[in-house]
Amino acid sequence: MLHGQPARFDVASVKPNRKAACRGRWDFTVSHGTLAAENAPLLRIVSRAFNLTDDRVSGPAWMESECYDIRAKAAGAVPDRDLMPMLQSLLKERFHLVAHRESDERPVSALVIDRGGSKLRPYGDTSAPPPVTDGKVLFMARHIQDLCERLGKVVGRPVIDKTGLDGDYLIVLTYPPFGIPSETPDAAPDIFAAVRDQLGLRLESQRGVVDVLKIDSVDKVPVGN
């Protein structure tokens, strides 16, 4: 069972979303001590609470189709990352979530340094021009582990850091790159090429042992607002 007593939200509302017209469209945002989910499947909420990709959460099938609205606010300004343990507590409290972690061997993507070397700049380095951000900014990150977590959500499998890089970096990834005409989507490089060309890193398919979250029990109807 998952243990620990992290801080809780000061106020929180959790309600089922019964608007059939909204099915398929959902939102999940965190900012400045506030968390908001709209029409979000419970599976997505749980995966984000435990910082896992959806495929690493195993639970009842209904968790993918039952959607909820959540509005929660911490007592003060809290870093976005620190809101996730608070969301875990909220899930245990309102959905009576009981879960445990297991190790499972499965396909993963290993993040390694490409043959030409890393193109990452130290965070705060002003000696070189900032990275090009024309086009769609897929995400920005500061730590390699943050990059792995976000890439994992894009490629749909766990991304394991095998770069050996440690420290703070200015990581900006754009995809597709600026200049690719929208009417010719097949011409756009895939995410693997974007990682290689923009970051000097490479994603390699391997097998590895990863943590998965097994749901032992969870209520469909949340309690107490």
Side-chain angles (χ1 to χ4, degrees), residues 100-175:
H100 68 279
R101 292 184 183 270
E102 293 183 358
S103 295
D104 187 27
E105 183 178 352
R106 60 176 60 190
V108 301
S109 290
L111 185 68
V112 301
I113 298 177
D114 197 35
R115 296 177 185 86
S118 168
K119 298 180 181 179
L120 299 180
R121 293 194 304 119
Y123 189 84
D125 179 11
T126 59
S127 63
V132 176
T133 57
D134 291 330
K136 180 182 178 181
V137 176
L138 183 61
F139 56 74
M140 301 180 70
R142 184 167 176 174
H143 307 288
I144 296 296
Q145 188 55 44
D146 293 335
L147 175 64
C148 289
E149 292 169 0
R150 299 188 185 199
L151 282 175
K153 291 179 171 60
V154 176
V155 302
R157 64 168 59 180
V159 174
I160 309 300
D161 176 23
K162 293 190 176 181
T163 64
L165 298 173
D166 188 21
D168 294 353
Y169 298 92
L170 179 60
I171 307 173
V172 180
L173 185 64
T174 62
Y175 180 81

Side-chain angles (χ1 to χ4, degrees), residues 54-97:
D54 295 346
D55 65 300
R56 292 168 65 187
V57 177
S58 176
W62 61 261
M63 290 179 65
E64 297 189 47
S65 57
E66 292 296 317
C67 301
Y68 302 86
D69 295 336
I70 297 178
R71 297 289 184 274
K73 186 174 179 57
V78 177
D80 293 350
R81 182 183 293 273
D82 292 345
L83 291 177
M84 295 305 100
M86 298 169 70
L87 178 56
Q88 293 176 25
S89 290
L90 187 65
L91 291 169
K92 296 174 187 178
E93 184 179 299
R94 302 296 178 87
F95 290 91
H96 297 145
L97 174 70

Side-chain angles (χ1 to χ4, degrees), residues 43-62:
L43 178 68
R44 308 291 187 273
I45 298 172
V46 172
S47 67
R48 278 146 186 77
F50 290 90
N51 197 27
L52 298 170
T53 51
D54 295 346
D55 65 300
R56 292 168 65 187
V57 177
S58 176
W62 61 261

Side-chain angles (χ1 to χ4, degrees), residues 26-53:
W26 62 279
D27 189 41
F28 184 96
T29 58
V30 291
S31 179
H32 300 95
T34 299
L35 182 148
E38 182 176 357
N39 195 46
L42 186 59
L43 178 68
R44 308 291 187 273
I45 298 172
V46 172
S47 67
R48 278 146 186 77
F50 290 90
N51 197 27
L52 298 170
T53 51

